[in-house]
Amino acid sequence: MLNFGINPDICDWFKSFLANRISKVKIGTVTGPFLFLVYIDDLLSAFPDDVKVTAFADDLKLFSTNRDSLQKSLGILSEWCVKWKLALAENKTLVLHLGKSNPKHSYFTGTTKVQSTTCARDLGILVDDALTFENHIDKIVNNALHKSRKYSLDATCLFVLKHCPTHHPPTNVDLE
């Protein structure tokens, strides 16, 4: 962490916090996501320049229009996981092809084909291949309908909300 410019006193605190633990990153702590990002920092800089990478805690996304670079990145990720004895959650590893003219190539982690999907959850938000967010909106509305029945609220209002156009959000709304 010193290499990241973190104060030595804070590094000492982390050292004390992590001492004598089987798993060095304690799950469920506020510091866990930060420590995991420090842990994978070398991985984040290993991908080809034309691959964009986003990371939040143990959630990693790779974006590119170059299929060869994406496949190479999956190879880098697989090798990094083997080197550091981490299992890649292959059941949670998905490819979401964006764009109507996307040729939808297959990708592999080792010899395992990455499952293709038309909708994926990203930090709690459902993202579809057309970027419409209709699946996410439907899920929220259905949850609201379910809760309204649970609390005996009038579901008619929610039904009207469900069928309002979602592509033109109101602007300059006066909430008073």
Side-chain angles (χ1 to χ4, degrees):
M1 289 193 299
L2 290 171
N3 294 341
F4 292 104
I6 295 175
N7 181 296
D9 292 335
I10 294 174
C11 291
D12 288 342
W13 181 89
F14 274 108
K15 184 177 179 181
S16 171
F17 175 74
L18 297 172
N20 300 318
R21 293 186 192 272
I22 294 171
S23 172
K24 295 300 181 190
V25 177
K26 187 174 179 185
I27 297 171
T29 64
V30 173
T31 57
F34 167 73
L35 291 172
F36 192 78
L37 288 176
V38 170
Y39 183 70
I40 67 168
D41 183 66
D42 64 320
L43 171 65
L44 299 178
S45 60
F47 298 112
D49 290 338
D50 61 343
V51 174
K52 304 302 176 220
V53 182
T54 64
F56 180 79
D58 64 347
D59 189 51
L60 184 72
K61 283 168 204 55
L62 306 172
F63 304 89
S64 183
T65 56
N66 183 331
R67 72 178 187 204
D68 295 329
S69 290
L70 276 177
Q71 184 57 61
K72 180 178 180 180
S73 296
L74 288 171
I76 291 168
L77 176 61
S78 294
E79 289 171 12
W80 187 91
C81 288
V82 168
K83 175 182 177 182
W84 294 107
K85 297 177 176 48
L86 292 176
L88 183 63
E90 292 178 351
N91 61 326
K92 294 181 179 180
T93 303
L94 303 169
V95 61
L96 181 66
H97 298 280
L98 301 175
K100 291 180 181 179
S101 61
N102 192 312
K104 299 183 179 169
H105 295 286
S106 296
Y107 296 95
F108 296 84
T109 56
T111 58
T112 305
K113 184 177 178 181
V114 177
Q115 179 184 346
S116 182
T117 186
T118 58
C119 185
R121 182 178 308 280
D122 182 16
L123 300 176
I125 297 176
L126 295 175
V127 180
D128 61 56
D129 57 357
L131 299 177
T132 65
F133 299 97
E134 287 179 15
N135 291 315
H136 185 71
I137 293 166
D138 286 346
K139 183 175 187 284
I140 290 172
V141 169
N142 287 332
N143 285 343
L145 286 169
H146 176 73
K147 288 180 181 181
S148 72
R149 289 184 195 106
K150 181 177 178 181
Y151 297 108
S152 300
L153 299 175
D154 183 3
T156 306
C157 175
L158 295 174
F159 179 78
V160 172
L161 278 176
K162 183 177 179 180
H163 292 86
C164 289
T166 57
H167 59 280
H168 297 293
T171 56
N172 299 326
V173 176
D174 186 6
L175 297 176
E176 295 181 30

